[in-house]
Amino acid sequence: MWQEVIVAVIVAACAFHAATKYLPAAWRRQIVHALSKRGFDQDKLARLFKTQSSCGDGCGSCGSCETPAAAPDAPKDTGVTRRVITLRVQR
């Protein structure tokens, strides 16, 4: 009986660790948002899932929805910078 409980706790901890580390950021933000709606602390969840605390709730306080307006008279950069990649041929 105790072995099954311990194995269940270990599997749950591994699933939580995998969710916080390997899920896409959008999914992690949705999880934080869903759990914060149910009464959990959003700041603590955001730290656990490594996301920003205000993302996903639609409040607009993080500024992610705002797009900066481009200046109409901004000079365009005509200088081309090139990166040289050296190849080593092995024969």
Side-chain angles (χ1 to χ4, degrees), residues 20-21 25 47-48 54 62 68 80:
T20 60
K21 189 168 184 170
R47 271 188 265 126
L48 284 174
S54 63
C62 66
V80 177

Side-chain angles (χ1 to χ4, degrees), residues 62-80:
C62 66
S64 64
C65 298
E66 299 173 5
T67 56
D73 296 334
K76 295 185 178 183
D77 187 18
T78 57
V80 177

Side-chain angles (χ1 to χ4, degrees), residues 4 7 11 13 16 30 32-33 39 41-42 46-48 55-56 69 80 84-87 89:
E4 294 171 355
V7 168
V11 169
F16 178 74
Q30 288 177 356
V32 169
H33 176 62
D41 187 20
Q42 187 178 17
R47 271 188 265 126
L48 284 174
C55 288
V80 177
V84 178
I85 300 174
T86 57
L87 301 175
V89 178

